[in-house]
């Protein structure tokens, strides 16, 4: 997943530098010097955050400002100088962005030049107007350069009266905080760093052991949150998987180096488009589709799963958006009524800028869009995605989440402020807050590419039966199980089990199969193995270990997730103004319950 953000970050920085070379360079350098979401320490690009370099760039920015006052900025020499400076700085910053994530840097040099060049080209229409010395000011006209006024109407559309005809008592906001660890949420609230989340907890119900899907990675869990089913139902099997029909690997962006193994553009296309349009099962509805069909006004910020019933064209609101959508992303997609996906898609002009994933901007973009939607009464259901906590945890470890959770909390506070404050917000809005998974500290890496170096990919394998028997093998023994039988799990499913219970650190009490170390183990394993796009063998790393991805990247010294174990799998779930009155409504809560809570809030039959 981080590859997509890393590439968007590099594209955003380089394109911004191409548009205006020095101020974005200063901004990124200052952020890096303060280690705010990005830094270049320990790389060949550390000078980009050094005081001498930033001072030189500041001088150049001042010189540029003075030159613009004295000379015509549309003159060829002036434009050429800016373009060359932008290309050089864009290349260095794109490469530095990759290097700070421990990726190969040289593709960033090439990509930075290209993105900066496109950024510079996008500004040409802004500089081709007339200049009036008599008036003492420049009078630029984009219309004279061939553009039109189409799409410039800023008037907010009136709400759809049909959609409002059966509006529930309260609107609903589903907040997804990536990798939210319950212990860190509790600590952030205890030290006063998460007052908005504290309000949700105090006014509602808190579950500190909501079980993620397996594998506990973002694409799988995002699909489960939005559909209410596991991988066997939604068909998103993992972060990367082998596509049997197309005889290729699908890579959703484990890292830049991993995506280079299979094609960066293909990886981006798989993540942004194909995950929703092709890979997500057509036989299940997302909450957006269910609510769209019921006439509910739906809205969503940047999230992996966005499939809905409303068509959206690529955005052209900003120069940066026009650069990317004219070169990489051009397709029409189907999403909720109001969709804001980075800078690629925006159903209306909000003035919010995502900068294609620049450091610390993703959550801020969500907060900005969400506040706009609240202020203008543009939704009944809003999926409010806050992904930056996951990136912070990968880098600094899960026990450093208080800082990133405080940043996420500020975006939820923006929603409340737009509604008139917490009391007014909770009077008109119900809230569900969920993590998609947790994270565990990573101490050691596992090299599967070395372990299976002599193996080949088995192509064109036959489709598997939907029945059969599942098998778990660990150092503690072997266990076999199938659906139906005398044993019941905490969620009420029945199983037939043979073999060593120790394989899953489990025990049987009064006919109930219980594993504290591997929660909801049987259902999650069964669902993962019976996903039609999954492999025949699933691996789960022990706590403290991480499988190195296809590009050799890992998070040793930081945090990661993906396993069946409780450390990766138990996340936070809290709600207010909707749902059951107590966590005791279920013996064990799961991500599969979230979509049901959303649908029940709006009383749909899906």
């Amino acid at each position: 997943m981080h590859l997509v953000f890393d590439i968007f970050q590099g594209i955003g920085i380089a394109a911004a530098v191409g548009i205006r070379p020095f101020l974005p360079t200063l901004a990124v350098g200052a952020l890096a010097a303060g280690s705010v979401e990005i830094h270049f320490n320990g790389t060949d690009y550390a000078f980009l955050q050094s005081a001498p370099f930033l001072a030189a760039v500041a001088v150049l920015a001042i010189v540029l400002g003075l030159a613009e006052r004295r000379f015509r900025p549309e003159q060829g020499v002036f434009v050429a100088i800016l373009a060359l400076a932008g290309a050089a700085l864009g290349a260095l910053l794109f490469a530095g962005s990759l290097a700070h994530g421990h990726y190969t840097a040289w593709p960033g040099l090439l990509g930075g030049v290209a993105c900066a060049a496109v950024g510079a080209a996008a500004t040409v229409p802004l500089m081709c107007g007339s200049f009036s010395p008599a008036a003492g000011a420049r009078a630029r006209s984009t219309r004279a350069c061939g553009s039109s006024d189409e799409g410039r109407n800023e008037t907010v559309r009136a709400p759809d009266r049909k959609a409002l005809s059966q509006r529930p008592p309260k609107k609903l906001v589903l907040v997804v905080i990536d990798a939210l660890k319950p212990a860190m949420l509790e600590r952030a609230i205890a030290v006063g760093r998460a007052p908005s989340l504290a309000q949700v907890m105090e006014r509602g119900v808190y579950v500190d052991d909501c079980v993620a899907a397996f594998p506990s990675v973002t694409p799988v869990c995002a699909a489960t949150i939005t559909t209410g089913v596991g991988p066997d139902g939604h068909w998103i099997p993992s972060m990367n998987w082998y596509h049997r029909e197309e005889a290729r690997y699908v890579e959703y962006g484990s890292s830049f180096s991993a995506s280079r193994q299979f094609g960066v553009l293909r990886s981006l296309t798989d993540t942004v488009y194909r995950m929703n349009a092709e890979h997500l099962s057509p036989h299940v509805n997302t909450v957006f589709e269910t609510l769209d069909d019921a006439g509910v006004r739906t809205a969503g910020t940047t999230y992996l799963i966005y499939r809905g019933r409303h068509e959206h064209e690529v955005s052209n609101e900003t120069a940066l958006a026009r650069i990317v959508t004219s070169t990489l992303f051009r397709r029409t997609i189907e999403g909720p009524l109001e969709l804001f996906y980075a800078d690629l898609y925006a159903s209306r002009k909000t003035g919010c800028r995502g900068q294609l994933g620049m450091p610390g901007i993703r959550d801020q973009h969500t907060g900005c869009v969400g506040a706009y939607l609240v202020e203008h009464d543009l939704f009944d259901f809003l999926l409010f995605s806050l992904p930056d906590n996951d990136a912070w945890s990968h880098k600094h470890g899960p026990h450093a989440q208080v800082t990133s959770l405080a940043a996420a909390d500020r975006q939820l506070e923006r929603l409340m402020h737009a509604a008139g404050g917490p009391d007014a917000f909770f009077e008109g809005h119900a809230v569900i807050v969920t993590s998609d998974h947790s994270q565990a500290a990573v101490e050691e890496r596992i090299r599967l590419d070395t372990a299976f170096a002599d193996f080949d990919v088995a192509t064109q394998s036959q489709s598997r039966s939907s029945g059969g028997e599942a098998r778990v093998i660990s150092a503690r023994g072997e266990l076999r199980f199938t659906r139906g039988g005398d044993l019941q799990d905490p969620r009420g499913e029945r199983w037939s089990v043979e073999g060593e219970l120790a394989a899953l650190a489990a025990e049987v009490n009064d006919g109930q199969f219980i594993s504290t170390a591997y929660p909801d183990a049987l259902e999650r394993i069964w669902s993962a193995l019976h996903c039609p796009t999954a492999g025949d063998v699933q691996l789960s790393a022990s706590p403290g270990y991480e499988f190195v991805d296809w590009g050799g990247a890992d998070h040793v010294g930081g945090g990661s997730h993906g396993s069946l174990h409780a450390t990766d799998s138990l996340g936070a779930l809290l709600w207010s103004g909707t749902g059951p009155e107590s966590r005791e409504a279920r013996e064990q809560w799961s991500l599969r319950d979230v979509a049901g809570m959303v649908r029940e809030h709006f009383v749909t039959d899906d």
Side-chain angles (χ1 to χ4, degrees):
M1 235 350 277
H2 298 291
L3 166 72
V4 178
F5 293 139
D6 290 331
I7 291 178
F8 280 176
Q9 174 179 295
I11 292 173
I13 293 174
V17 169
I19 295 170
R20 195 78 177 174
F22 304 122
L23 291 181
T25 301
L26 277 175
V28 174
L31 289 171
S35 294
V36 181
E37 296 292 339
I38 187 172
H39 67 80
F40 305 115
N41 294 326
T43 74
D44 293 335
Y45 302 89
F47 68 90
L48 292 171
Q49 65 188 53
S50 67
F53 176 80
L54 295 179
V57 174
V59 170
L60 290 173
I62 294 172
V63 171
L64 173 62
L66 294 175
E68 283 186 312
R69 290 176 178 271
R70 183 176 180 85
F71 303 106
R72 294 174 60 184
E74 64 269 25
Q75 288 179 338
V77 174
F78 194 92
V79 172
I81 292 174
L82 291 181
L84 289 174
L89 293 171
L92 292 172
L93 289 166
F94 200 150
S97 298
L98 298 180
H100 109 276
H102 307 293
Y103 306 134
T104 304
W106 67 260
L109 295 172
L110 301 178
V113 171
C115 292
V118 177
T123 64
V124 172
L126 302 179
M127 306 180 73
C128 63
S130 61
F131 176 73
S132 174
R138 286 176 297 275
R140 296 189 181 96
S141 171
T142 55
R143 191 186 234 340
C145 299
S147 64
S148 71
D149 290 333
E150 183 179 357
R152 300 177 70 88
N153 185 1
E154 302 292 339
T155 303
V156 176
R157 295 194 302 266
D160 184 344
R161 304 320 303 177
K162 178 182 178 181
L164 297 176
S165 60
Q166 297 181 344
R167 180 181 292 185
K170 290 187 177 184
K171 301 175 185 179
L172 176 61
V173 179
L174 172 59
V175 182
V176 182
I177 303 179
D178 205 333
L180 173 60
K181 198 171 185 68
M184 293 300 101
L185 171 63
E186 294 164 15
R187 181 181 299 178
I189 289 176
V191 298
R193 300 289 301 277
S196 299
L197 290 167
Q199 290 262 8
V200 179
M201 187 180 293
E202 291 169 3
R203 296 169 183 258
V205 180
Y206 172 50
V207 175
D208 63 357
D209 56 356
C210 181
V211 186
F214 176 68
S216 51
V217 293
T218 301
V220 181
C221 294
T224 293
I225 288 172
T226 51
T227 64
V229 297
D232 58 339
H234 59 59
W235 297 3
I236 303 296
S238 187
M239 179 66 75
N240 47 62
W241 50 282
Y242 186 74
H243 199 307
R244 290 176 172 86
E245 294 181 2
E246 298 182 7
R248 69 175 182 92
Y249 271 96
V250 173
E251 169 61 64
Y252 289 137
S254 306
S255 68
F256 180 79
S257 51
S259 288
R260 281 202 300 118
Q261 300 294 320
F262 308 109
V264 172
L265 182 58
R266 172 170 282 182
S267 179
L268 288 171
T269 304
D270 282 337
T271 304
V272 177
Y273 293 124
R274 294 196 180 105
M275 186 188 299
N276 285 270
E278 300 174 18
H279 303 161
L280 188 64
S281 171
H283 304 301
V284 295
N285 281 341
T286 68
V287 289
F288 292 126
E289 291 172 314
T290 301
L291 299 182
D292 285 338
D293 290 342
V296 175
R297 299 178 303 161
T298 55
T301 61
T302 308
Y303 197 59
L304 283 180
I305 304 298
Y306 56 74
R307 199 176 72 189
R309 303 298 192 195
H310 302 275
E311 286 193 354
H312 296 275
E313 302 286 344
V314 293
S315 173
N316 63 356
E317 181 175 353
T318 68
L320 190 56
R322 289 192 293 272
I323 292 167
V324 177
T325 56
S326 65
T327 55
L328 297 176
F329 304 102
R330 303 180 181 180
R331 304 185 186 184
T332 297
I333 62 174
E334 292 187 339
L337 177 63
E338 303 288 346
L339 175 64
F340 303 88
Y341 192 104
D343 287 319
L344 303 180
Y345 296 91
S347 51
R348 64 180 68 239
K349 295 181 179 181
T350 62
C352 303
R353 301 290 180 263
Q355 301 301 330
L356 299 180
M358 282 187 67
I361 300 298
R362 296 187 291 270
D363 283 8
Q364 292 182 35
H365 181 246
T366 291
C368 178
V369 167
Y372 181 93
L373 294 174
V374 169
E375 182 180 354
H376 292 90
D377 185 22
L378 293 173
F379 70 89
D380 298 314
F381 169 71
L382 168 64
L383 194 156
F384 190 77
S385 173
L386 298 169
D388 284 339
N389 180 65
D390 184 63
W392 180 269
S393 302
H394 275 302
K395 181 178 179 181
H396 301 281
H399 297 293
Q401 283 192 7
V402 170
T403 299
S404 49
L405 290 180
D409 189 89
R410 286 193 292 271
Q411 306 315 315
L412 183 55
E413 183 181 10
R414 294 175 74 173
L415 285 188
M416 297 182 183
H417 179 75
D423 291 339
F425 176 79
F426 284 106
E427 183 178 348
H429 298 80
V431 182
I432 300 172
V433 179
T434 185
S435 52
D436 49 357
H437 49 72
S438 187
Q439 275 203 18
V442 179
E443 301 172 359
E444 299 287 344
R445 59 180 62 85
I446 302 173
R447 295 296 303 252
L448 288 179
D449 57 338
T450 302
F452 294 99
D454 297 331
F455 284 64
D456 294 322
V457 175
T459 60
Q460 303 300 324
S461 58
Q462 296 180 353
S463 60
R464 294 160 292 160
S465 169
S466 60
E469 181 181 74
R471 179 182 299 184
V472 179
I473 301 175
S474 75
R476 299 178 297 272
E478 179 178 332
L479 181 145
R480 300 174 303 280
F481 67 95
T482 189
R483 283 198 182 278
D486 297 331
L487 293 182
Q488 181 173 293
D489 66 24
R491 289 182 59 82
E493 298 294 332
R494 306 199 69 85
W495 304 93
S496 176
V497 177
E498 295 182 1
E500 299 291 333
L501 295 176
L504 285 173
E507 60 183 5
V508 174
N509 291 328
D510 295 330
Q512 188 176 63
F513 181 94
I514 301 173
S515 175
T516 303
Y518 300 97
D520 199 18
L522 301 182
E523 175 63 38
R524 295 165 71 206
I525 293 171
W526 186 268
S527 180
L529 289 174
H530 287 79
C531 173
T533 54
D536 298 307
V537 178
Q538 300 277 346
L539 300 180
S540 176
S542 297
Y545 289 84
E546 181 186 30
F547 295 116
V548 173
D549 70 20
W550 282 104
D554 60 62
H555 299 95
V556 172
S560 195
H561 51 93
S563 80
L564 187 72
H565 197 273
T567 55
D568 289 2
S569 303
L570 294 183
L573 174 64
L574 49 160
W575 62 86
S576 173
T578 190
E581 295 182 359
S582 168
R583 65 161 293 159
E584 305 305 322
R586 293 186 184 275
E587 183 174 350
Q588 187 171 69
W589 287 85
S590 163
L591 282 189
R592 302 192 300 277
D593 300 321
V594 174
M597 292 176 67
V598 172
R599 289 165 175 144
E600 288 170 12
H601 181 80
F602 293 96
V603 197
T604 69
D605 297 326
D606 193 334

